[in-house]
Amino acid sequence: MKAFAALVSGAILASKGTDGFSPIVHTPTISHSSTLLRAAELKPEPEGGEELTKMSSSLPDSRMKNMGADDEEDVYNFWLSATASGAKVKKLRAQTEREAGKKANFPGFRKGQVPPYAQPQITTFAVQEALIKTCEESLEAYGLESLTGSAGEVTVNEDIKDLCKGYKVGTDIPFTASYRGKFDSSVHAAMESVAEDSAPDDVVVDVDAVVE
């Protein structure tokens, strides 16, 4: 199974992107295409925080809260509620299985065939990757910047194993996550400029008419 884990890990790396959070390896055998994914126990929505306004049409029904400033200058703690689309999971799973199949060579199975017992692991990889990519999309959706290195890690508050138990590929996955980041100053400046340009002209009041 360790050999297969490394094989699937290689399949994910072969299809990785370069945008979003920084690449971090969090186990000896599993590498992700982006930021570190740490599963945690289910936690309720944190109290307080400032609700952010979404700046794009992506991630419908998502929410983002600024939970306050971090110790580092211009860095804040964010809480995200979003949904990883089932279509995304399905696409990533097919891609991972295809890449893994190129190198698969297991006793009792023809070359290139992925054993049935490995299918749940491929699904887990696909779910993890879909959650990470959704977190990456939240950066653009809310005008944020990721941090580099370990500072840019993301914590998914739901237990990944629980999410994958009985999961039907193609089903949407609601989840929550927390991460540290910065506001993208260029995006917010552009939004403020648009808001000012679209504001109504000042209303001129005829003081004499009001007095009369």
Side-chain angles (χ1 to χ4, degrees):
M1 289 299 292
K2 287 185 178 180
F4 181 75
L7 182 64
V8 176
S9 177
I12 289 180
L13 288 174
S15 59
K16 71 179 181 179
T18 57
D19 297 331
F21 298 101
S22 301
I24 301 174
V25 178
H26 77 287
T27 71
T29 56
I30 302 176
S31 298
H32 293 292
S33 67
S34 45
T35 194
L36 171 66
L37 183 77
R38 294 186 302 158
E41 293 183 4
L42 179 64
K43 295 182 180 180
E45 177 181 342
E47 296 182 359
E50 177 186 358
E51 195 91 17
L52 300 187
T53 300
K54 196 152 62 74
M55 297 186 170
S56 73
S57 59
S58 61
L59 295 188
D61 301 322
S62 65
R63 294 175 56 212
M64 180 76 79
K65 292 171 67 174
N66 177 2
M67 301 307 299
D70 193 74
D71 294 336
E72 187 177 343
E73 185 178 2
D74 295 330
V75 174
Y76 298 86
N77 297 294
F78 297 100
W79 175 86
L80 169 70
S81 173
T83 299
S85 73
K88 188 191 304 292
V89 176
K90 186 175 182 179
K91 180 179 179 180
L92 288 167
R93 193 190 186 287
Q95 188 175 29
T96 302
E97 184 173 17
R98 183 169 59 251
E99 294 294 334
K102 292 179 180 179
K103 298 181 180 180
N105 189 11
F106 292 87
F109 296 88
R110 71 176 186 275
K111 187 175 181 179
Q113 182 180 5
V114 178
Y117 63 77
Q119 296 298 330
Q121 189 173 3
I122 288 182
T123 298
T124 298
F125 274 108
V127 169
Q128 289 177 327
E129 195 73 354
L131 297 182
I132 292 174
K133 288 185 179 297
T134 302
C135 289
E136 291 176 344
E137 292 173 9
S138 73
L139 294 171
E140 179 181 357
Y142 290 92
L144 305 177
E145 292 182 0
S146 63
L147 303 181
T148 59
S150 60
E153 67 185 32
V154 166
T155 297
V156 171
N157 299 321
E158 285 67 42
D159 191 317
I160 304 300
K161 292 182 179 179
D162 289 343
L163 290 177
C164 294
K165 285 180 181 178
Y167 174 71
K168 182 178 179 181
V169 177
T171 304
D172 292 344
I173 306 176
F175 71 99
T176 63
S178 302
Y179 61 78
R180 299 163 66 234
K182 296 182 178 182
F183 286 100
D184 188 329
S185 57
S186 62
V187 173
H188 286 269
M191 291 296 292
E192 290 177 1
S193 177
V194 171
E196 291 176 358
D197 292 341
S198 60
D201 295 335
D202 294 338
V203 177
V204 178
V205 178
D206 187 341
V207 179
D208 294 335
V210 172
V211 173
E212 293 177 1

